[in-house]
Amino acid sequence: MNTHVSARSALPSAPGISREAASDLVDFSFIMDVLRREKWLLAGLVAGALALATTYVQIVPPVYTASAQVLLDTRQERVMNAEQVVSNLTASNFVVAGEVELIRSNLLLGKVVDRLELVGHPAYDPRFTETPGVVGRVVGTLRVALLGAPPVAPPLSDEQVRARTIARLQRDVTVAQVGISYAIRVTAEARSPDLAARITNAITEQYVHDQLAAKRDATVRATVWLEERVAELSRQLEEADGAVVAFRTAMTEEFGGDAEATDQLLADINSRYLATRVERSDAEFRYRMVRLLYETGGYAAVADVVSSPLLETLDRERAELARRQAELARTLGVRHPQMVGLTAQTEDVERSIEAELQRRIEAIRSEMEMTANREASLLEAMEAIQDRMGRISAATVTLDQMERSATAIRNTYETSVTRFMETAAQTEFQRPDAQIISIARVPHKPSEPQKLIFLAIAGFIGLSLGVAVAFFREALHKSVHTSEALRQLSNRPVLSLLPYVAHKRRDRRWLKQEMRANHHSLYMESIRTIRAKLFDVRGIGRPKVLMVTSAIAGEGKSTTCVTLAHSLTRASLSVVVVDADLRRSANAVELGANPDGGCIVRYLSGTITVEKAVQHLPEFGIDMVMPMRSVPNASDLIASKAFGTLIRYLASRYDVVIIDTAPVLAVPDALVISSMSDATILLVQTNRVANDKVKAALNRLDDAGAVVVGTVLSQVRRKDAVSSEIYDYASA
């Protein structure tokens, strides 16, 4: 039917609110919805993490911390105007960072270990083992039970004991810059407060002592080295000057000029190459776009992007022929000579359009090839000039390097002679670049564990784990949460969102209240939205026979059919509802139908006529054809000729026929009825139906040839993520 095409193509593709305006709100609502559902899981994980943290801080032994500070002093006493062999420390963060690593080095800490005799101390000597706590004893017992007793380790050598003692000391020592100043804080942790202070002070004192010794040793080594260096530099200077003169002469003979003209030519060709490359890229893009449109949509798609005066003329001729053909079709048949002639003329124009489009495509391809060839030629010329320029530049660089080398050797020679005379006087006058500005005091209270911070971190970890587990569980249950998710899953518009109504199936008083003439509810507004999108919007072909189905049972099909029928009757349309669920229908009881009245089962069995199958329900003001009892052979009755006769009869008597079917995935009834329907809408219950079931239902309907014009998201609760799309406006 024509209704199939018009109903599918003309339906709007979005609900009442735009995607952009609601995306942020929906995402936040979805997150809060997940967290509300998993609140007891979150509370349990947070409580467990806090309990474990509390137990840990009660059994862990205390740790004491002592700190001292040294200052990098860049001010120096000058007895003579000469630079020192070991220069003063410059004021930069890089220098401070280097000194920090020097203090933490195993060489300096090794001297501290020897000075304080930490080898043999129970807190640092690896030969002393601590008594394990409760957890350690349990883990040890389990390890022995599962893996057996560990092998006896060989005794450690003195060097291994010292190395492990230094490693333990490095673990307990922290060195860091104080803010952006030149001060460095040294912090040591120990189980004993006195030991923490002794270690900290020993490190700072050893650092200052090593600085002074390093300067003195460097000055002595520099004096000896400078004496040898002066003699070597004198010989190197003579060789470098001779090499510069010889190379300059050879370069002039080989190239005969400078690189300025070659560089100008290269810049000109490069600019032309870039412009040609842009032209080639534009041509390739146009050609690929046209080819893609041609391959996917044929010449009709290419005509939208390719234009020419001839194409415009042919388009006008085709439009004029179509107009004339439409006018004559009102009075003449398709076989009339004039109609046949106009059809032939239209085909000629179509062939001319295709030929012109083909010619334009070939012209675009030729333009692309010409620009590619021109680009290749320019690239080849540019590469040749670049090669020549590279050889000239390489020779120039070599000459510059040789000249700089000779100059550097000369400067070094002159400086070395002067420096050698100055260095000998600095050997006995040295001063360290750092001084201790704060010594470590014995701490009075432990620094760890910090109970409040530890508990806060444990609570945060428990909360984070709870959120992760909650969303992991949510990911495992892949059901439809939002209208946007349903739209993407079905690739069809969402016609409306139906709010959840508690106990509506147990009490038909709710249904009567919704259908009162002066009653305005959120549920009926959502039903009117379905009516508007299917029947009221201009330009949309009204479906004569509308099938309402769902993937599984209990998604609200029957209530939707009845309320939609009532809404259509309020719009002055004659409507009949056909309850085609012959197995589990409860409409007869819920709607208070006459048990002795019309019954679709009796009609399909041949005991009553089609006219007597319709039963009018005065309470709701609608006509219905429904089963008064369930039957085991429902599929056979639905597939019978009598059912098709019933639908055709009702379609001739009523403006709209609404068919309430059994679930698509449960039985094949809906697939059979879809061939008799002009349009189909699929109900999907929020947060219940899995995505794969919705997809399977749509695939079955598509395979059966059903025209699924849209979906409806039913039973939306206020706590659902999608509730903002309907409840916000209603409560405003």
Side-chain angles (χ1 to χ4, degrees):
M1 298 181 183
N2 293 335
T3 315
H4 291 186
V5 178
S6 60
R8 171 178 291 176
S9 61
L11 279 172
S13 60
I17 62 174
S18 65
R19 302 179 189 176
E20 293 80 1
S23 60
D24 294 339
L25 193 59
V26 170
D27 291 343
F28 179 75
S29 300
F30 170 70
I31 293 173
M32 296 306 297
D33 181 35
V34 173
L35 296 181
R36 279 196 298 268
R37 290 200 300 269
E38 303 291 349
K39 59 183 178 181
W40 294 114
L41 171 66
L42 296 177
L45 289 176
V46 172
L50 291 176
L52 291 176
T54 302
T55 304
Y56 175 79
V57 298
Q58 294 297 329
I59 64 176
V60 67
V63 175
Y64 294 88
T65 302
S67 297
Q69 292 184 6
V70 294
L71 177 66
L72 302 182
D73 190 1
T74 58
R75 299 171 297 174
Q76 296 295 320
E77 300 175 1
R78 288 195 178 272
V79 177
M80 57 186 300
N81 189 20
E83 186 178 356
Q84 296 182 358
V85 174
V86 179
S87 63
N88 301 333
L89 294 177
T90 57
S92 69
N93 288 330
F94 301 105
V95 172
V96 177
E99 296 302 305
V100 166
E101 293 303 318
L102 175 61
I103 297 174
R104 294 191 72 254
S105 66
N106 56 2
L107 294 178
L108 190 145
L109 293 183
K111 298 176 183 178
V112 174
V113 167
D114 298 336
R115 178 180 174 180
L116 298 180
E117 298 179 352
L118 295 181
V119 175
H121 195 284
Y124 289 97
D125 195 319
R127 293 169 294 189
F128 291 89
T129 58
E130 296 182 358
T131 302
V134 177
V135 177
R137 289 196 296 270
V138 172
V139 172
T141 303
L142 292 176
R143 181 180 300 171
V144 172
L146 297 177
L147 304 178
V152 178
L156 299 175
S157 64
D158 293 340
E159 187 62 29
Q160 290 176 326
V161 171
R162 184 175 183 274
R164 294 193 181 185
T165 302
I166 294 173
R168 287 194 179 184
L169 182 60
Q170 283 183 314
R171 178 196 62 188
D172 294 338
V173 172
T174 303
V175 185
Q177 181 181 4
V178 180
I180 60 174
S181 67
Y182 303 143
I184 298 176
R185 178 183 292 111
V186 180
T187 304
E189 296 179 349
R191 300 290 174 81
S192 167
D194 180 69
L195 181 60
R198 289 174 55 209
I199 292 175
T200 304
N201 291 327
I203 292 175
T204 56
E205 293 169 1
Q206 189 65 46
Y207 169 65
V208 174
H209 177 270
D210 286 354
Q211 274 196 340
L212 185 59
K215 280 192 172 186
R216 184 180 298 111
D217 294 342
T219 303
V220 174
R221 291 193 304 269
T223 303
V224 177
W225 179 82
L226 282 172
E227 185 178 6
E228 299 173 354
R229 184 63 174 161
V230 167
E232 178 66 19
L233 288 174
S234 177
R235 183 185 58 80
Q236 292 179 1
L237 180 60
E238 183 178 356
E239 294 176 355
D241 287 340
V244 169
V245 174
F247 188 83
R248 183 182 289 111
T249 302
M251 189 181 71
T252 303
E253 292 176 356
E254 180 179 358
F255 299 109
D258 57 16
E260 183 177 355
T262 305
D263 187 56
Q264 180 63 33
L265 178 60
L266 179 63
D268 179 61
I269 293 179
N270 184 55
S271 62
R272 292 170 57 193
Y273 169 76
L274 293 176
T276 305
R277 187 174 181 180
V278 172
E279 294 178 2
R280 189 259 304 163
S281 298
D282 293 342
E284 284 184 354
F285 175 76
R286 291 182 57 202
Y287 180 71
R288 289 174 183 170
M289 181 180 67
V290 170
R291 290 299 305 174
L292 178 62
L293 292 174
Y294 172 72
E295 292 173 358
T296 56
Y299 288 108
V302 175
D304 294 335
V305 297
V306 176
S307 63
S308 68
L310 179 57
L311 282 176
E312 295 176 357
T313 302
L314 293 174
D315 283 337
R316 288 194 295 271
E317 291 181 6
R318 180 173 59 183
E320 179 61 25
L321 290 174
R323 185 190 62 78
R324 293 174 55 193
Q325 191 173 15
E327 291 179 353
L328 293 177
R330 299 174 182 175
T331 56
L332 304 178
V334 293
R335 298 184 179 180
H336 193 274
Q338 293 186 19
M339 294 292 290
V340 173
L342 288 175
T343 301
Q345 293 179 26
T346 302
E347 293 175 352
D348 291 340
V349 171
E350 294 287 348
R351 286 191 292 271
S352 299
I353 290 175
E354 292 183 4
E356 176 62 14
L357 289 174
Q358 183 64 34
R359 188 184 67 81
R360 293 298 300 164
I361 293 173
E362 289 299 320
I364 293 173
R365 184 182 62 81
S366 299
E367 180 184 353
M368 179 188 68
E369 293 177 352
M370 289 174 61
T371 55
N373 293 334
R374 186 163 63 252
E375 179 187 357
S377 299
L378 290 172
L379 181 60
E380 182 178 355
M382 187 168 60
E383 289 176 350
I385 296 174
Q386 284 177 338
D387 180 66
R388 176 185 173 189
M389 190 64 186
R391 289 186 288 112
I392 295 174
S393 300
T396 304
V397 169
T398 303
L399 178 60
D400 292 341
Q401 289 176 346
M402 295 176 67
E403 291 177 344
R404 287 194 298 269
S405 178
T407 302
I409 293 174
R410 182 178 295 105
N411 294 337
T412 304
Y413 173 75
E414 295 173 354
T415 303
S416 298
V417 172
T418 305
R419 184 60 173 163
F420 173 72
M421 302 301 296
E422 297 173 348
T423 304
Q426 299 178 8
T427 305
E428 298 302 328
F429 183 77
Q430 297 295 336
R431 180 178 180 272
D433 292 325
Q435 59 178 324
I436 300 175
I437 61 175
S438 174
I439 64 174
R441 304 293 183 183
V442 178
H444 300 290
K445 61 179 180 179
S447 57
E448 291 183 5
Q450 298 181 4
K451 298 182 179 180
L452 293 180
I453 296 178
F454 195 81
L455 292 175
I457 294 175
F460 176 76
I461 293 175
L463 180 61
S464 301
L465 180 62
V467 172
V469 172
F471 280 97
F472 178 74
R473 293 177 56 179
E474 183 69 19
L476 294 179
H477 180 64
K478 296 182 178 179
S479 59
V480 178
H481 301 290
T482 64
S483 60
E484 180 62 26
L486 179 57
R487 184 180 298 106
Q488 294 179 358
L489 177 66
S490 65
N491 198 23
R492 289 170 174 84
V494 179
L495 301 178
S496 183
L497 283 73
L498 300 179
Y500 173 79
V501 179
H503 308 297
K504 66 177 184 298
R505 283 192 168 273
R506 305 180 204 171
D507 190 357
R508 71 171 182 265
R509 290 179 298 177
W510 170 84
L511 196 59
K512 292 173 59 177
Q513 180 181 1
E514 292 292 316
M515 293 184 179
R516 290 206 311 263
N518 59 350
H519 183 69
H520 298 281
S521 68
L522 183 59
Y523 185 88
M524 288 305 297
E525 287 298 329
S526 301
I527 292 295
R528 294 184 188 101
T529 302
I530 302 176
R531 183 191 73 186
K533 293 183 178 181
L534 288 178
F535 299 94
D536 296 346
V537 178
R538 295 183 179 180
I540 297 179
R542 292 180 175 179
K544 187 75 173 178
V545 179
L546 175 64
M547 183 177 76
V548 180
T549 187
S550 64
I552 60 177
E555 298 190 64
K557 300 185 303 297
S558 300
T559 304
T560 302
C561 291
V562 172
T563 52
L564 179 60
H566 174 76
S567 179
L568 290 171
T569 58
R570 297 293 303 274
S572 302
L573 295 176
S574 59
V575 186
V576 63
V577 178
V578 179
D579 186 352
D581 189 355
L582 308 184
R583 294 174 178 82
R584 299 174 56 184
S585 175
N587 282 330
V589 177
E590 293 178 358
L591 300 179
N594 183 5
D596 299 327
C599 175
I600 187 173
V601 175
R602 294 170 58 194
Y603 162 72
L604 295 177
S605 301
T607 59
I608 62 174
T609 62
V610 64
E611 293 84 0
K612 295 183 179 180
V614 182
Q615 186 171 162
H616 181 69
L617 303 178
E619 275 188 301
F620 306 103
I622 59 174
D623 291 346
M624 285 195 66
V625 179
M626 69 188 83
M628 294 292 107
R629 58 183 174 86
S630 60
V631 292
N633 60 336
S635 297
D636 297 335
L637 296 178
I638 293 297
S640 65
K641 293 183 179 180
F643 188 84
T645 302
L646 172 65
I647 299 303
R648 289 191 295 273
Y649 169 77
L650 296 176
S652 64
R653 290 281 306 273
Y654 293 88
D655 295 330
V656 180
V657 178
I658 301 176
I659 306 178
D660 177 11
T661 71
V664 176
L665 300 181
V667 292
D669 298 358
L671 307 181
V672 177
I673 298 173
S674 65
S675 61
M676 311 173 194
S677 305
D678 298 332
T680 299
I681 60 176
L682 181 71
L683 264 69
V684 179
Q685 183 176 344
T686 310
N687 295 331
R688 181 192 175 200
V689 186
N691 293 347
D692 54 351
K693 291 187 177 181
V694 177
K695 198 67 178 177
L698 289 169
N699 291 338
R700 288 193 182 185
L701 291 173
D702 290 340
D703 294 342
V707 182
V708 182
V709 297
T711 59
V712 175
L713 196 59
S714 65
Q715 302 187 32
V716 178
R717 300 173 183 263
R718 287 187 177 272
K719 67 177 183 179
D720 293 336
V722 73
S723 63
S724 60
E725 298 186 27
I726 56 175
Y727 287 107
D728 285 357
Y729 179 79
S731 59

